[in-house]
Amino acid sequence: MPQYYIWTIGCQMNKAESERLGSYLEQLGYQATVSVEQADLVLLNSCVVRQSAENRVLNKLNSLKSLKGSRPNLILAVTGCLVDSQLDQLKQSFPDVDYFFKPGEFPQWLGKDKMDSVLPRYPSPSTFVTIIQGCNNFCSYCIVPYRRGREKSRPMAEIADEVKELVHRGAKEVTLLGQNVDSYGHDLPDRPDLADLLSKLNTIEGLARIRFLTNHPKDMSPRLIEAVATLDKVCEQLSLPVQAGDNDILRAMRRGYTVEHYYQLINEIRKRIPEVALSTDVIVGFPSESERQFQQTVDLLSELKFDTVHVAAYSPRAGTIASRELEDNVPSAEKRKRLHKIEQLQEKIATEINTQLWGKLVEVLAEGRKEDKWWGRTRSGKLVFFSDPGDFPGKLVKVRIEKTSPWSLQGKVELNRID
Ligand code: SF4
């Protein structure tokens, strides 16, 4: 039986696509292997959102050269955001690669041309569904629109059918994915929006939870906030990347909103959904970011107190507006210092937030087992570990929290299972 090996880095969209590619290869008779040396087909699902990610992909490709040299029949394929429209150039740079195909597409040599038509045979209890590909925003630092192309929404009926089938195959929770899910539907005939899609999915029997990411602060509508507040299966968890706490930096990033708008949005969300868990993304060391402007970001994070903050140091990506027009003039050591300061601040905030859950009974969807413990997530997305001899994957259980940390919680299952 031929064997396949998939190497994935990057966002959840890449992970979802790799899961589907793996499942499809199994339907074709391939078997998964954890050893790249034993594989007959090696597939790299790449990410280039940061220079460090692209470097990892290039290193991986270089390391596969000798394998291909010693085993000429090995099939080497590459997808993900490394694959842009300049295919000829890629083929020239990497002659050992047999196939390149764009993210979201299915390689024709495998007999399909659409990723969406391939579902994992045994989806995990919490699975991913892409609802919109691409992005129309062109934030000045971001390479994604150049690699994933313009926004393209999938029809609501197609997504609903897919979610029903995933539930039929064992999924309990779906996370709807898109670079900007708030743009969902504007390119479809009846112009439905994400709130319409959530209402439709909320009626699917057997589906317990719905999440979605990523939102854009300039596009998140009151209708969407209302949908999260009122639809019982939609989890109280929102990701809303702010990127910077200073208006001049936001303008240079071409984000399309102000700090004042962002504060107002968070206040509205918290008023309507008091138990909401919020996450955000921040870039430090953007070109010309002064100490004072960085402090504005620190102040915003201290004031708004997010459950999770993803922080990255700015690195220019060739081909973006920022790399062409702005000088990368914040020294690396300063970027590292700012990054560290935010990590420390967030550790303190997450400790405070999670400590409040001590002694509480929370609903957890058990997703798997790691060593001697089960793990799963609350509706608000908190990672919970619990010990129990029971058999839980895919079940909703109630767990009494006995230990908290900034990154996860630990507890004990109480008898009242609620599935
Ligand atoms: S919204 Fe901005 S950061 Fe997000 S994918 Fe689109 S261009 Fe990139």
Side-chain angles (χ1 to χ4, degrees):
M1 196 180 263
Q3 304 204 58
Y4 75 91
Y5 174 91
I6 301 183
W7 182 83
T8 309
I9 60 166
C11 64
Q12 268 124 335
M13 285 175 90
N14 274 12
K15 286 175 195 147
E17 285 170 8
S18 288
E19 190 186 15
R20 287 170 188 228
L21 284 161
S23 179
Y24 186 65
L25 287 169
E26 282 163 26
Q27 287 167 43
L28 291 180
Y30 280 83
Q31 195 178 39
T33 173
V34 289
S35 155
V36 68
E37 284 78 19
Q38 283 175 11
D40 302 283
L41 190 162
V42 174
L43 176 60
L44 302 192
N45 198 346
S46 61
C47 171
V48 296
V49 77
R50 299 209 182 93
Q51 188 61 50
S52 55
E54 182 158 350
N55 291 345
R56 280 182 67 199
V57 176
L58 299 180
N59 288 342
K60 194 78 183 173
L61 271 170
N62 284 330
S63 75
L64 288 169
K65 263 188 196 161
S66 57
L67 196 63
K68 180 86 180 175
S70 61
R71 291 178 46 210
N73 289 338
L74 171 74
I75 300 172
L76 194 50
V78 177
T79 186
C81 288
L82 182 74
V83 184
D84 58 11
S85 44
Q86 290 162 355
L87 263 186
D88 288 343
Q89 210 175 311
L90 269 178
K91 282 179 186 164
Q92 224 174 350
S93 308
F94 302 102
D96 298 314
V97 175
D98 298 283
Y99 301 103
F100 288 99
F101 57 100
K102 287 190 175 177
E105 288 179 1
F106 217 82
Q108 299 216 331
W109 48 275
L110 283 179
K112 292 252 181 192
D113 59 4
K114 234 176 138 205
M115 182 74 68
D116 309 333
S117 55
V118 178
L119 296 186
R121 196 184 284 178
Y122 304 108
S124 48
S126 173
T127 193
F128 297 102
V129 173
T130 298
I131 61 166
I132 178 169
Q133 284 277 4
C135 182
N136 290 358
N137 280 316
F138 291 92
C139 298
S140 65
Y141 53 85
C142 183
I143 193 76
V144 168
Y146 304 92
R147 301 297 173 98
R148 293 228 169 211
R150 302 296 177 273
E151 289 165 359
K152 195 162 185 316
S153 307
R154 296 177 60 199
M156 283 220 296
E158 185 182 298
I159 297 168
D161 285 348
E162 181 171 315
V163 173
K164 275 184 211 153
E165 185 55 33
L166 286 166
V167 169
H168 178 67
R169 296 182 189 194
K172 284 279 166 54
E173 172 182 297
V174 288
T175 301
L176 310 178
L177 297 177
Q179 259 79 37
N180 177 9
V181 285
D182 298 319
S183 278
Y184 175 77
H186 72 88
D187 52 334
L188 293 174
D190 295 332
R191 296 179 67 87
D193 64 8
L194 181 57
D196 294 321
L197 179 64
L198 293 174
S199 301
K200 192 172 177 74
L201 300 183
N202 200 61
T203 62
I204 294 177
E205 217 175 300
L207 179 65
R209 294 170 169 187
I210 307 167
R211 306 181 195 275
F212 55 91
L213 51 97
T214 296
N215 296 282
H216 197 301
K218 82 173 164 53
D219 296 325
M220 186 177 239
S221 68
R223 248 173 78 75
L224 180 61
I225 298 172
E226 199 51 30
V228 179
T230 53
L231 297 171
D232 62 326
K233 293 180 183 175
V234 179
C235 294
E236 304 76 25
Q237 183 193 19
L238 291 170
S239 71
L240 204 57
V242 64
Q243 305 299 10
D246 176 85
N247 281 334
D248 289 334
I249 297 289
L250 285 178
R251 207 170 300 117
M253 288 177 164
R254 302 195 180 200
R255 290 290 289 170
Y257 54 86
T258 60
V259 174
E260 292 72 22
H261 171 82
Y262 190 85
Y263 267 91
Q264 201 184 343
L265 187 57
I266 296 287
N267 289 339
E268 276 167 31
I269 292 170
R270 285 200 163 132
K271 207 157 97 195
R272 194 64 192 90
I273 317 162
E275 66 281 28
V276 71
L278 291 167
S279 68
T280 197
D281 294 31
V282 162
I283 297 172
V284 296
F286 192 76
S288 303
E289 183 190 58
S290 66
E291 185 57 43
R292 183 191 59 78
Q293 288 170 320
F294 168 66
Q295 190 55 43
Q296 305 259 60
T297 303
V298 174
D299 293 346
L300 180 141
L301 298 178
S302 309
E303 212 167 307
L304 292 179
K305 294 190 192 304
F306 293 89
D307 292 75
T308 312
V309 174
H310 306 284
V311 55
Y314 173 77
S315 72
R317 302 299 294 114
T320 60
I321 302 164
S323 78
R324 282 197 304 273
E325 297 180 0
L326 305 172
E327 192 190 342
D328 180 21
N329 54 5
V330 178
S332 303
E334 182 60 28
K335 285 180 188 169
R336 276 198 301 278
K337 201 176 100 194
R338 292 180 188 182
L339 187 118
H340 188 55
K341 186 166 177 180
I342 287 186
E343 282 174 344
Q344 278 184 319
L345 169 69
Q346 185 53 29
E347 184 170 340
K348 204 164 140 262
I349 292 171
T351 301
E352 280 166 24
I353 292 175
N354 287 355
T355 303
Q356 291 166 18
L357 288 167
W358 189 88
K360 296 255 164 66
L361 198 58
V362 295
E363 180 199 280
V364 176
L365 174 64
E367 291 183 45
R369 207 175 159 87
K370 202 172 180 192
E371 289 157 14
D372 61 337
K373 287 200 166 71
W374 292 101
W375 66 272
R377 289 188 186 271
T378 63
R379 279 179 66 98
S380 60
K382 306 267 180 207
L383 180 60
V384 181
F385 293 94
F386 58 94
S387 307
D388 195 287
D391 184 18
F392 294 115
K395 299 219 164 90
L396 287 163
V397 291
K398 282 202 168 178
V399 176
R400 179 78 63 191
I401 299 303
E402 297 177 328
K403 203 170 165 192
T404 67
S405 83
W407 328 118
S408 64
L409 311 169
Q410 286 192 41
K412 210 192 247 170
V413 175
E414 295 236 333
L415 284 176
N416 51 339
R417 287 161 61 158
I418 54 172
D419 54 331

